[in-house]
Amino acid sequence: QVRLAEFGGRTVQAGGSLRLSCTASDFAFSPYGMAWYRQAPGKECELVAQITSGGGGTTYASSVKGRFSISRDDVENEVHLQMNSLEPEDTAVYYCNSDYPPPGGVERMCDLLQQWGQGTQVTVSS
């Protein structure tokens, strides 16, 4: 088990933009598809966006499609999530990890990452 770190979360007004970053010092992202997850208060863990290991393919949850963009820089060993047109419903703790779910599926991912001390809080005010 390795630890990743997410940065960039803060409070932002609805309609604003925010860029999250994910890094790891102990392993390389390059062989892996990567993903962003989030969990809002009272809601289940959600797979927000994912990107293939080569960066040539991306997918998004319907709730963020057209507003969020995932990208990667394997030289810098970083994954980013550009968040535009933010809505109060985007308020959540955001996590970064591989796109391969653990036992229990996506719904378990956020719990595991939280236990490992990961996550960055995004709060969108209206």
Side-chain angles (χ1 to χ4, degrees):
Q1 297 181 350
V2 298
R3 296 179 63 182
L4 286 70
E6 301 90 348
F7 304 94
R10 63 178 179 88
T11 298
V12 63
Q13 292 184 342
S17 297
L18 197 61
R19 186 174 179 86
L20 306 183
S21 298
C22 173
T23 64
S25 61
D26 53 354
F27 86 106
F29 292 166
S30 57
Y32 306 97
M34 299 296 294
W36 286 92
Y37 307 82
R38 71 182 181 185
Q39 188 162 37
K43 301 185 70 175
E44 298 297 324
C45 187
E46 180 183 17
L47 174 61
V48 177
Q50 57 191 140
I51 186 168
T52 60
S53 61
T58 58
T59 57
Y60 299 92
S62 60
S63 57
V64 306
K65 189 174 297 183
R67 300 188 297 116
F68 289 10
S69 179
I70 187 172
S71 62
R72 65 190 301 154
D73 185 338
D74 289 340
V75 174
E76 299 295 331
N77 208 42
E78 297 177 344
V79 181
H80 304 282
L81 185 67
Q82 179 65 45
M83 310 164 67
N84 299 324
S85 301
L86 284 163
E87 304 169 351
E89 292 75 19
D90 296 317
T91 295
V93 178
Y94 285 72
Y95 305 92
C96 174
N97 213 295
S98 73
D99 64 352
Y100 191 79
V106 172
E107 61 270 19
R108 180 62 175 156
M109 178 69 82
C110 296
D111 288 341
L112 289 172
L113 299 180
Q114 183 181 47
Q115 292 171 10
W116 296 341
Q118 294 185 219
T120 186
Q121 175 72 50
V122 173
T123 301
V124 183
S125 61
S126 60

